[in-house]
Amino acid sequence: MQQKIVTIFGATGYLGRHVVRAFADAGWVVRAVSRSAKKAYFLKVYGDVGQVVAMQAAISDPSGIEVAIKGADAVVYLPGALHASRKGFERVHVDYPASVASYSARAGVGRFVLVSALGCDRSQSVYAQTKRAGEKAVLAAFPKASILRPSIIFGAEDGFFGRFAQMARVAPALPLIGGGKTKFQPVYVGDVAKAVFAAANLPVSGVHNPEGRIYELGGPAIHSFKELLEMMFGYTRQPRPLVPVPFAIATLKAFFLQLLPVPPLTVDQVRSLKTDNIVASGSYGLPDLGIAPVSLEAVLPQALARYHEGGPAAQQKAT
Ligand SMILES: NC(=O)c1ccc[n+]([C@@H]2O[C@H](COP(=O)([O-])OP(=O)(O)OC[C@H]3O[C@@H](n4cnc5c(N)ncnc54)[C@H](OP(=O)(O)O)[C@@H]3O)[C@@H](O)[C@H]2O)c1
């Protein structure tokens, strides 16, 4: 039987690495696309010799997109930005996926999976609005696309617990924007990768047909931002005071912080925190893709052990 081919845009990212592994483990040939092919070389060891191929494409390079997609059975679009100008967000969340989706439709690709973000239909942030516009643009170009909307993604070295644990090593206190009341439903990175794989694989006949469906991906429990930080301190054993910061003050601070080259906080991120990030009742979710979600308690003890006093993260800081 001929090996199936998947083209993964954004393969070098945090989620991308897990998605590459999920397809490679199932025997697919993986085309790992990055804006720089060299950046994707490290992914070659995720499969057998020649199974994972590093490729280069960008929105400004339509022929790169066409070559990466040609002959693929499935295409996965993962790129996303956390901070950008409105134009920057539109490029990576709307224009690029729309273009990849329309090339995929023209090339006769069977399945298309877009990773969007939970709350994109409810939040007033530019991040969310452009994610929602991207979903619509992809569905217009490829109506049978499957769309996945994860809440915050957690796992070893993630961008949430990993980032705040690192911050807590150097900061005397951590801010609780808006009092830390915003609710989240963190989802394990391995479950999101499995969901991407399932959306590209489940049979299109029967009740579980993923084509044209939007899935909201959350873990087994809902927690406030404050509860998540408290839970994190329990596992890093490095508690810091949590200082409530009203939204108005956080917005003012973010206005200046976002001028830094890699801003720790932007006005748009403060806006995001005004809306809860939890799965809507009645939406399709992980169980519809055959996945039982992993809990924070099963993953965080090991993922955050490196931040213990004297652990690898502490030694890194000392050197
Ligand atoms: N992590 C989370 O908690 C979370 C939560 C909800 C939704 N999501 C969504 O899930 C997707 C994957 O997240 P992630 O955490 O894996 O992201 P990530 O680590 O930041 O990686 C995303 C990849 O996108 C590519 N990329 C970034 N900016 C780009 C741009 N302007 N143009 C083209 N490509 C660009 C980069 O690849 P190259 O540099 O190799 O080109 C990067 O490796 C994103 O769409 C994100 O919005 C993530």
Side-chain angles (χ1 to χ4, degrees):
M1 205 175 76
Q2 221 186 343
Q3 270 181 306
K4 284 190 169 183
I5 301 172
V6 61
T7 301
I8 303 174
F9 288 81
T12 62
Y14 181 60
L15 174 60
R17 289 167 236 168
H18 291 262
V19 175
V20 168
R21 199 182 287 280
F23 279 92
D25 285 351
W28 288 54
V29 168
V30 178
R31 294 177 182 162
V33 182
S34 167
R35 285 167 295 176
S36 148
K38 261 191 190 162
K39 199 176 157 192
Y41 283 175
F42 78 97
L43 293 165
K44 290 182 178 199
V45 296
Y46 284 43
D48 290 337
V49 176
Q51 192 187 355
V52 177
V53 184
M55 297 190 85
Q56 187 161 314
I59 186 164
S60 52
D61 171 22
S63 61
I65 300 175
E66 247 182 311
V67 171
I69 285 171
K70 197 172 175 206
D73 297 281
V75 169
V76 175
Y77 185 91
L78 302 173
L82 273 179
H83 46 80
S85 61
R86 179 176 278 275
K87 263 209 144 27
F89 273 133
E90 281 169 354
R91 262 175 93 77
V92 66
H93 292 165
V94 189
D95 304 342
Y96 194 18
S99 159
V100 173
S102 74
Y103 278 112
S104 300
R106 262 182 273 156
V109 167
R111 302 286 189 98
F112 192 97
V113 183
L114 170 72
V115 173
S116 177
L118 191 60
C120 67
D121 53 342
R122 309 186 271 277
S123 168
Q124 295 305 306
S125 69
V126 180
Y127 169 84
Q129 287 173 353
T130 52
K131 280 283 193 185
R132 179 69 187 122
E135 291 181 350
K136 289 181 180 165
V138 163
L139 286 171
F142 201 112
K144 290 183 173 178
S146 306
I147 291 172
L148 308 181
R149 295 176 176 168
S151 183
I152 330 172
I153 300 176
F154 71 89
E157 292 170 26
D158 64 39
F160 184 84
F161 294 103
R163 179 164 158 244
F164 283 109
Q166 194 58 43
M167 214 185 269
R169 298 205 63 81
V170 287
L174 292 185
L176 283 180
I177 295 168
K181 293 185 190 122
T182 319
K183 292 193 178 73
F184 293 93
Q185 199 169 345
V187 59
Y188 178 51
V189 64
D191 290 339
V192 182
K194 278 187 194 167
V196 172
F197 182 73
N201 255 283
L202 281 175
V204 294
S205 57
V207 287
H208 292 303
N209 177 6
E211 289 184 329
R213 279 190 183 167
I214 296 181
Y215 295 85
E216 300 212 342
L217 308 184
I222 294 170
H223 296 279
S224 69
F225 186 81
K226 184 173 180 223
E227 287 164 354
L228 291 175
L229 290 189
E230 285 169 344
M231 192 183 279
M232 177 190 85
F233 290 140
Y235 294 121
T236 59
R237 303 186 206 150
Q238 298 274 333
R240 291 284 180 276
L242 293 171
V243 182
V245 181
F247 280 119
I249 294 178
T251 304
L252 188 67
K253 283 192 170 187
F255 180 78
F256 293 103
L257 287 172
Q258 69 185 9
L259 301 173
L260 295 169
V262 184
L265 187 69
T266 66
V267 171
D268 200 52
Q269 287 165 354
V270 176
R271 215 176 279 134
S272 287
L273 287 168
K274 292 183 179 168
T275 309
D276 288 338
N277 198 257
I278 55 178
V279 168
S281 68
S283 58
Y284 291 110
L286 286 173
D288 300 290
L289 292 164
I291 298 159
V294 168
S295 70
L296 286 165
E297 290 82 356
V299 172
L300 289 190
Q302 207 185 347
L304 293 175
R306 65 192 299 267
Y307 295 97
H308 291 174
E309 198 60 62
Q315 282 163 22
Q316 247 171 34
K317 190 188 154 205
T319 51

